[in-house]
């Protein structure tokens, strides 16, 4: 046996002995008698009562829709009409273009997910505020209706998106949800740059 190998074995034995001593000390420090088992935290008890979720992917996205519909439409309404041409920098899109893009994304993605024809909604970023807000509201209403019967049974089905790129139905559902977060964040930024509090930052009513 080499000296290096011998040293390694000795170190291992010392470590085992040290752990054994620590374990024995812990047992001696523990109170004698029958200990009452610690109760599980309340949230763990509640979690144990929960069963599996039906349609976890499509159901989660559909559950988010009412909240984002409310906040994103409210954000579009909060921006004054004369600020719809506002751009944070000359290279960026206007607020009007952002609202138009949200409506178009809703219509296109919800049509793909539900296998239903997208609304024939004509809009441009030069349209007045009233028309763009109406188009945004209509796009969320279309999503609510078209996604109503969507479940998780065909999440693996593939479809073409963004020209010629294949995506699963599950991926498009996630893209739709991500878009809502992304686009609302952009709306909130545009509003704050104009000294307007976005809907989710408004003080709670007293």
């Amino acid at each position: 046996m080499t000296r290096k190998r011998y040293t390694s074995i000795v170190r291992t034995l010392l470590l085992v002995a040290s752990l054994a001593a620590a374990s024995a000390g812990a047992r001696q420090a523990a109170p004698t008698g029958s200990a009452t088992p610690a109760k599980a935290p309340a949230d763990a008890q509640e979690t144990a009562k929960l069963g599996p979720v039906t349609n976890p992917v499509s159901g989660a996205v559909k559950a988010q829709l009412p909240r984002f519909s409310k906040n994103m439409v409210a954000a579009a309404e909060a921006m004054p009409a004369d600020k719809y041409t506002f751009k944070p920098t000359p290279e960026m899109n206007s607020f009007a273009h952002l609202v138009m893009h949200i409506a178009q994304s809703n219509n296109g993605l919800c049509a793909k997910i539900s296998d239903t024809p997208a609304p024939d909604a004509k809009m441009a970023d030069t349209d007045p505020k009233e028309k763009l807000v109406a188009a945004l509201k209509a796009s969320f209403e279309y999503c609510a209706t078209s996604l109503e019967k969507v479940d998780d049974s065909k999440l693996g089905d593939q479809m073409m998106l963004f020209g010629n790129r294949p995506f699963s139905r599950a991926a498009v559902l996630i893209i739709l949800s991500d878009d809502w977060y992304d686009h609302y964040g952009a709306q909130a930024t545009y509003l704050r740059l104009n000294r307007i509090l976005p809907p989710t930052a408004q003080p709670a009513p007293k």
Side-chain angles (χ1 to χ4, degrees):
M1 179 183 298
T2 64
R3 182 178 181 82
K4 184 176 181 180
R5 175 67 174 164
Y6 175 79
T7 303
S8 176
I9 292 174
V10 170
R11 287 176 177 172
T12 302
L13 291 174
L14 289 173
L15 177 61
V16 170
S18 175
L19 292 173
S23 177
R27 285 196 299 271
Q28 290 175 1
T32 57
S34 59
T36 303
K39 291 185 178 181
D43 57 344
Q45 294 178 0
E46 291 301 317
T47 301
K49 299 176 184 178
L50 300 176
V53 176
T54 304
N55 301 314
V57 178
S58 59
V61 175
K62 287 189 281 187
Q64 294 174 344
L65 195 153
R67 175 166 56 92
F68 278 104
S69 174
K70 175 184 175 182
N71 289 332
M72 294 170 80
V73 170
E77 291 175 332
M79 184 67 89
D82 62 348
K83 293 290 186 179
Y84 260 59
T85 55
F86 169 76
K87 298 180 179 182
T89 67
E91 297 80 13
M92 295 179 69
N93 291 320
S94 66
F95 188 80
H97 187 94
L98 175 60
V99 174
M100 177 193 72
H101 174 68
I102 297 169
Q104 291 174 336
S105 296
N106 282 349
N107 290 336
L109 293 174
C110 289
K112 286 287 186 180
I113 294 166
S114 62
D115 289 325
T116 59
D120 185 19
K122 299 285 194 281
M123 65 189 92
D125 59 10
T126 54
D127 289 336
K129 171 183 175 177
E130 293 75 15
K131 182 176 179 180
L132 291 173
V133 171
L136 182 62
K137 288 180 181 178
S139 73
F140 277 110
E141 291 168 358
Y142 166 69
C143 281
T145 301
S146 62
L147 297 182
E148 187 174 352
K149 295 182 180 180
V150 172
D151 57 29
D152 287 6
S153 62
K154 297 180 180 180
L155 290 181
D157 288 1
Q158 297 216 72
M159 56 196 68
M160 305 305 288
L161 204 62
F162 308 129
N164 59 349
R165 296 170 59 188
F167 289 86
S168 68
R169 196 182 310 275
V172 183
L173 278 161
I174 294 170
I175 291 170
L176 176 65
S177 174
D178 286 349
D179 270 1
W180 290 337
Y181 282 96
D182 180 32
H183 293 151
Y184 179 68
Q187 285 182 297
T189 301
Y190 278 57
L191 287 172
R192 285 187 178 276
L193 288 173
N194 285 278
R195 302 181 181 275
I196 301 171
L197 284 179
T200 50
Q202 294 288 342
K206 296 181 180 179

